[in-house]
């Protein structure tokens, strides 16, 4: 289809949808560092991980040599309900900016969870069901992951217990109701239903919770309940594997029209979206077949790649999870109330951290008022109301397109539009009313949090 | 493509999108009754209507002979941002119900306004811009129409003044923020900014407003402000014309796979969605080329077709609008607080009313708890969180599919899924908590409201 006019939206046929996930670790010469047992300091075994996670997901977590892993037919059938997602040519944004750049975005918000999280949720629910489990536990902050998992569990008839960070539980009652619509049990965290919750409440009465604390509670319940396992929506290798469906579809759509991107941009919290979007492109880069500029965008208020250190750290507050080597601000770092809840995590996927350390991708950070300016500009011309998280990528895509305007370069920019902002109108309201502020942690803040990193050889 | 396996989602190519709207009135032997001037009792002229509405829209309103009206290229380009919308085969719902029926739904919620309203909003904004106007005014109840119009005005650089029914303004602050994101000025109605608003506030201090009152305020401002006109999101012939894009795409997608529906179902408030969905099918019926069962579904709390009378009535509370002949409960009828705000209108499109009167379509009414049961069942298997309005159609589609289960008939059912329920979680919450009640007006209530119908020969 070379030279044909590019449509506004490129949809793949169902027959063109990926049949395998792509495991970028297989093409990495230097592999991401393994998870460590915090007690022994030794790499976690499949047996140890199997207490917390589903067996087949543990295999995926540890497998850093198999490049393609088949997507089971049941999952592919579920994907067909909301995938392939469109790759949209942002003609209207280009015109508004007056840029010679060609901008594309992969839109993952066209499902009720409102984000890309469903791609991994359905996979994790499927493997839990296949193992004959009764249910799963998880945590959720902004709520996209909890919603996605609720939908996936409802589809396979699994119980779903969600620990929702208390401030989100109270501030986002509608998110909670969507989860209940899908039959999930939603508990504000910290809660009196777990030992770690009780301990935290005793030590910090009136705390509104954190993601790290909710993870600890969810893991405790999974480990202590017959027929349950814990599932996680980001950071892990298995999640990046499932999310590779985003990048594979993006690449297939671009290839169909013989388009080669120059720059690929994604927002990065724990790394699930970015890792998925860039997977096949990074694969080409690792194999020396092509080159791309790849940019991770994080909030200036929680800058793990741009201002963190590359070290082993705890994944949760209760320190019940394995240690992961990652770019981290320290598990004690308290992110400021940035409205992009999905990006408020102290660390970054081990795989992405290693790729960043090898200088195979760049990272940049942006402040939230500039993010919302970009969000509003995008919404007005492209019609989609973007999530605050996604809008970090929009900001940098617009900035790169404006650079092209100055230089006259016709670069092709692809970014990930991970989701919609329907449940983020409180943030939009603050922005409209001029009440949104920017927060950048001081060097002193970062130093303090870093001081509490665990000592690992 | 006969006999090929039907995909989960049938997407048309951009080249297959309709280039013309279809005007069902052209194929009606007995035409819908004209709008009347409430002062003279005579049909409204183009000149009279031109004071309130844009010139080209007035032509469309009055034209009941031209079957196809070209969709201007600018509008077709905008449509490409969110259209073609998918026609989805509800494989998962069919399986859950265990029905031999084949169920399809046309999903119109994949745009930020969250509903089909954008199809007409962009057309009305386009003609306003073309006429060199400065801006438009409108009213909104549930908020979908106001959001859609805000998006459309933002795209064409028009001012947009929205009068939002006060109780919605207060209960749905997020809807209001979406409109503000698109640059609209949103005023709670009744307001002190208009004469009719002041009058209503003086007579009924503390009133939370109504759609009829907000219409009156919007019309007053449009008529009294240089360079402004009023636009309406339902009821009018022009709106049904623009919404025919829904039905035309549906028919094109079905034809592509040689599928002939037996039953077509849509929810009906003012009639914009139903009129659009059924247009080309009704055209075949009127021309004697095919037969279909067509079912309008309305809330039992606001049953204009099933329990109203076919008569001339006021479209608004302030009685500043023309009279329309329609199935109506009386403009004085106060609908109970049903959560499907988009279906709380006392009358029904003149075109649909006439078709119903000619027995070319059926109507049925359903209570809201049964609607939400269907909504939740649908959400859990099909993944989309439906709007309460749309869920009226889901309820009846499920009922018809269950009848097929009893009889063993393999009927093909098509229904319109007009939008998403992200801003309706208060209603879902009430349903989950068992606090939702059903209300059916008594015969006495209806008689009282009917007594105030205007006397027209």
């Amino acid at each position: 289809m070379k030279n044909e006019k590019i449509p506004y939206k490129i949809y793949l046929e169902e027959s063109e949808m990926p049949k395998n996930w792509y495991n970028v670790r297989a093409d990495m010469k230097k592999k991401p560092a393994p998870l460590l047992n915090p007690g022994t300091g030794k790499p976690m075994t499949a047996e140890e991980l199997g207490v917390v996670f589903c067996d087949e997901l543990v295999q995926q977590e540890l497998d850093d040599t198999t490049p393609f892993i088949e997507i089971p037919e049941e999952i592919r059938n579920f994907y067909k309900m909301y995938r392939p997602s469109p790759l949209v040519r942002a003609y209207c944004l280009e015109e508004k900016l007056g840029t010679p750049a060609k901008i594309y975005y992969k839109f993952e918000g066209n499902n009720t969870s409102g984000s890309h999280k469903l791609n991994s949720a359905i996979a994790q629910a499927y493997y839990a069901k296949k193992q004959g489990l009764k249910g799963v536990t998880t945590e959720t902050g902004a709520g996209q992951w909890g919603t996605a998992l609720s939908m996936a569990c409802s589809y396979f008839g699994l119980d779903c217990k969600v620990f929702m960070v208390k401030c989100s539980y109270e501030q986002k009652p509608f998110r909670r109701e969507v989860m209940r619509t899908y039959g999930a049990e939603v508990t504000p965290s910290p809660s009196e239903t777990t030992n770690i919750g009780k301990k935290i409440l005793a030590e910090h009465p009136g705390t509104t919770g954190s993601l790290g604390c909710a993870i600890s509670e969810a893991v405790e319940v999974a480990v202590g309940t017959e027929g349950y396992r814990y599932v996680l929506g980001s950071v892990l290798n298995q999640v990046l594997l499932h999310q590779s469906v985003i990048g594979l579809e993006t690449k297939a759509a671009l290839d169909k029209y013989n388009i080669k991107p120059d720059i690929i941009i994604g927002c990065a919290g724990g790394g699930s979206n970015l890792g998925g979007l860039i997977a096949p492109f990074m694969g080409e880069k690792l194999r020396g077949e092509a080159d791309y500029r790849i940019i991770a965008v994080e909030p200036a208020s929680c800058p793990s790649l741009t201002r963190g250190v590359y070290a082993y750290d705890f994944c949760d507050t209760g320190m019940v999870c394995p240690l992961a080597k990652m770019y981290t601000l320290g598990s004690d770092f308290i992110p400021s109330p940035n409205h992009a809840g999905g990006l408020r995590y102290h660390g970054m996927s081990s795989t992405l951290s290693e790729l960043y350390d090898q200088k195979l991708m760049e990272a940049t950070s942006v402040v939230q008022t500039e993010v919302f300016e970009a969000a509003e500009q995008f919404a007005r011309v492209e019609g989609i109301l973007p999530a605050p998280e996604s809008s970090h990528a929009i900001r940098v895509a617009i900035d790169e397109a404006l650079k092209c305007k100055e230089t006259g370069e016709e670069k092709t920019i692809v970014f990930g539009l991970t989701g919609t902002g329907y449940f983020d109108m409180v943030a939009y309201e603050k922005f409209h009313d001029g009440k949104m502020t920017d927060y950048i942690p001081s060097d002193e803040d970062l130093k303090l949090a870093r001081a509490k990193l665990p000592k690992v050889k």
Side-chain angles (χ1 to χ4, degrees), chain A:
Chain A
M1 295 203 195
K2 199 174 171 181
N3 293 329
E4 196 180 313
K5 161 121 168 69
I6 311 296
Y8 276 67
K9 286 170 292 170
I10 306 176
Y11 275 110
L12 300 176
E13 300 290 323
E14 276 177 20
S15 58
E16 295 171 312
M17 287 171 66
K19 293 188 176 55
N20 298 284
W21 291 305
Y22 168 62
N23 181 6
V24 74
R25 288 167 293 162
D27 282 310
M28 291 170 73
K29 283 189 199 93
K30 190 180 167 210
K31 308 289 182 188
L35 295 170
L36 296 187
N37 181 319
T40 65
K42 288 187 180 156
M44 292 289 287
T45 62
E47 203 178 3
E48 288 170 327
L49 286 169
V51 177
V52 178
F53 299 109
C54 303
D55 297 343
E56 203 145 340
L57 291 166
V58 169
Q59 294 309 320
Q60 294 180 355
E61 190 64 30
L62 297 175
D63 183 346
D64 56 12
T65 54
T66 311
F68 291 100
I69 293 175
E70 194 187 346
I71 308 175
E73 198 190 344
E74 291 87 342
I75 298 175
R76 279 190 281 133
N77 278 341
F78 186 89
Y79 278 171
K80 286 178 191 168
M81 288 208 295
Y82 69 102
R83 310 200 67 82
S85 70
L87 181 72
V88 186
R89 173 74 184 268
Y91 281 116
C92 299
L93 181 62
E94 291 170 18
E95 195 188 324
K96 181 81 180 174
L97 297 173
T99 177
K102 295 173 183 67
I103 309 174
Y104 294 84
Y105 54 92
K106 179 71 168 168
F107 180 43
E108 292 287 317
N110 268 351
N111 70 75
T112 292
S113 77
S115 81
H116 66 292
K117 293 288 185 187
L118 197 52
N119 301 328
S120 183
I122 193 64
Q124 298 195 44
Y126 167 78
Y127 291 117
K129 186 70 183 178
K130 200 176 157 205
Q131 195 175 326
L133 297 177
K134 191 169 176 303
V136 293
T137 71
T138 200
E139 77 295 326
T140 200
Q144 286 101 328
W145 168 247
T147 310
L149 190 68
S150 305
M151 290 175 69
C153 286
S154 160
Y155 184 76
F156 283 124
L158 281 169
D159 286 350
C160 179
K161 294 178 194 291
V162 180
F163 287 88
M164 187 171 188
V165 177
K166 194 183 271 175
C167 64
S168 292
Y169 183 90
E170 285 162 2
Q171 285 170 10
K172 295 193 169 187
F174 296 165
R175 269 278 176 212
R176 185 185 74 209
E177 287 309 316
V178 180
M179 289 185 254
R180 285 178 74 198
T181 300
Y182 288 98
E185 179 190 308
V186 188
T187 307
S189 167
S191 76
E192 293 284 353
T193 66
T194 66
N195 292 325
I196 187 84
K198 280 181 211 159
K199 187 163 168 260
I200 292 169
L201 283 171
E203 286 168 10
H204 309 278
T207 176
T208 55
S210 74
L211 210 50
C213 164
I215 294 176
S216 303
E217 288 202 88
V219 171
E220 181 184 320
V221 171
V223 172
T225 314
E226 183 68 28
Y228 274 73
R229 291 293 184 284
Y230 166 72
V231 296
L232 181 63
S234 191
V235 183
L236 297 174
N237 295 321
Q238 56 186 270
V239 177
L240 267 67
L241 176 73
H242 307 147
Q243 295 294 358
S244 70
V245 70
I246 304 173
L248 292 163
E249 279 188 11
T250 302
K251 189 154 189 331
L254 291 170
D255 287 349
K256 206 166 164 173
Y257 287 89
N258 212 20
I259 304 160
K260 195 187 161 298
D262 298 294
I263 309 175
I264 301 163
I265 301 167
C267 62
S272 68
N273 150 67
L274 182 71
L277 174 67
I278 67 173
F281 302 98
M282 184 59 84
E284 289 189 311
K285 217 169 151 164
L286 287 163
R287 297 189 303 269
E289 296 165 7
D291 197 18
Y292 306 98
R293 266 188 78 198
I294 293 174
I295 309 176
V297 189
E298 51 186 19
S301 59
C302 194
S304 52
L305 284 175
T306 49
R307 296 178 69 199
V309 290
Y310 192 29
Y312 267 104
D313 194 8
F314 294 107
C315 294
D316 66 324
T317 309
M319 304 179 187
V320 296
C321 292
L323 297 172
K325 188 174 180 192
M326 53 188 181
Y327 274 86
T328 178
L329 299 163
S331 65
D332 230 48
F333 178 78
I334 309 288
S336 83
N338 182 301
H339 291 289
L343 304 181
R344 293 179 63 205
Y345 186 68
H346 65 276
M348 179 62 64
S349 137
S350 291
T351 300
L352 290 183
S353 292
E354 181 57 34
L355 291 167
Y356 180 63
D357 199 56
Q358 293 180 26
K359 304 204 177 354
L360 288 159
M361 54 182 252
E362 308 166 27
T364 187
S365 75
V366 288
V367 296
Q368 67 175 347
T369 50
E370 289 174 12
V371 166
F372 275 83
E373 269 169 31
E376 189 163 279
Q377 187 172 18
F378 179 84
R380 290 188 181 188
V381 290
E382 290 292 319
I384 295 171
L385 185 79
E389 291 84 355
S390 324
S391 304
H392 285 68
I394 297 175
R395 173 75 270 163
V396 174
I398 289 176
D399 290 345
E400 291 294 330
L402 290 175
K403 282 183 205 162
C404 288
K405 188 177 179 178
E406 280 181 29
T407 62
E409 288 172 290
E410 291 186 25
K411 285 189 183 166
T412 296
I413 299 168
V414 174
F415 73 89
L417 188 70
T418 55
T420 49
Y422 296 114
F423 293 104
D424 299 289
M425 296 320 296
V426 170
Y428 273 94
E429 185 173 14
K430 278 200 180 157
F431 175 69
H432 296 148
D433 293 342
K435 290 180 181 159
M436 182 174 278
T437 53
D438 292 323
Y439 173 76
I440 302 174
S442 68
D443 289 338
E444 192 58 28
D445 292 339
L446 295 184
K447 205 173 143 189
L448 277 171
R450 213 179 284 155
K452 295 192 184 163
L453 282 173
K455 308 284 172 249
V456 177
K457 283 168 288 246

